Amino acid sequence: MTETIYDDILNAEMLLIGIGKEVSEKQCKKEELDEAYHQLEKLLKGRNYFVLTSNTDGAVHRTKIIPMLIAAPYEEGGEEQWQSYMNWITCTLGHSLVILELGEGFEHPQLMRWPFEKMVMVNQKAKLIRVGEAFPQIPKDIGERAVSVKMNCVKFLRQLQL
């Protein structure tokens, strides 16, 4: 399955990465967190992307991911990048978009879960890949344009063989 997902990611014009609590300092050992972000850095290199996180640990800011392409609205001062995120989202309509949601769950469904599902419903060229050990379910109404992967996010990124 990860081979098909990797192909979808490679062929997408735009990537939206949602990072939830399963990829945080609270849930991961430092080595696992570093590995996850290293894999994401490789995945995003040279791509049109944006990263949205509900985490407040600041880990995403200690990476090589371009700071202007990160929105962390729950961090102190994190709402500054929200408008950049909203502008980027408006540019995705009509483009092939892959949304990779990593370990979000239901802590803040109004930030990622529900908006990501709505984006896929509206943009017929969008695909949602929801990865997580808990709550990777997807709604039936987005059908084949969504994939649920019940797996540890770090292991998932490792299996992509980036």
Side-chain angles (χ1 to χ4, degrees):
M1 181 192 312
T2 54
E3 190 173 308
T4 304
I5 291 170
Y6 186 60
D7 288 343
D8 288 339
I9 291 169
L10 285 181
N11 294 320
E13 295 174 85
M14 306 175 90
L15 291 174
L16 174 57
I17 308 296
I19 302 172
K21 75 171 189 174
E22 286 184 26
V23 186
S24 69
E25 290 178 349
K26 290 180 182 178
Q27 298 266 327
C28 296
K29 295 177 184 169
K30 183 183 181 329
E31 305 81 43
E32 291 174 331
L33 193 60
D34 290 347
E35 179 184 359
Y37 278 115
H38 179 68
Q39 294 289 31
L40 276 175
E41 290 167 1
K42 292 189 330 188
L43 179 70
L44 299 175
K45 188 174 182 173
R47 308 297 306 276
N48 184 348
Y49 70 89
F50 209 97
V51 175
L52 177 64
T53 184
S54 59
N55 294 332
T56 57
D57 59 11
V60 70
H61 302 293
R62 295 187 293 273
T63 67
K64 294 179 184 174
I65 297 171
I66 299 168
M68 291 176 47
L69 300 176
I70 300 170
Y74 295 119
E75 290 183 353
E76 188 174 324
E79 57 281 336
E80 294 172 14
Q81 282 300 105
W82 187 255
Q83 191 57 50
S84 295
Y85 170 65
M86 297 308 294
N87 292 340
W88 188 88
I89 286 298
T90 61
C91 295
T92 64
L93 196 58
H95 292 276
S96 64
L97 168 68
V98 168
I99 302 170
L100 179 59
E101 182 186 297
L102 299 169
E104 177 52 21
F106 280 101
E107 287 74 28
H108 306 283
Q110 72 282 3
L111 180 65
M112 282 186 244
R113 189 172 200 95
W114 298 333
F116 287 0
E117 291 169 2
K118 186 177 255 183
M119 281 184 239
V120 174
M121 285 184 220
V122 171
N123 183 351
Q124 296 299 306
K125 294 182 177 182
K127 183 167 191 170
L128 171 63
I129 302 163
R130 180 169 282 153
V131 182
E133 291 181 308
F135 308 115
Q137 296 83 357
I138 51 173
K140 289 185 181 5
D141 48 351
I142 51 179
E144 313 84 49
R145 293 184 299 120
V147 177
S148 171
V149 181
K150 187 169 179 63
M151 179 185 282
N152 174 281
C153 297
V154 177
K155 290 178 184 174
F156 171 81
L157 288 169
R158 189 181 306 132
Q159 284 188 7
L160 282 181
Q161 298 293 322
L162 308 173

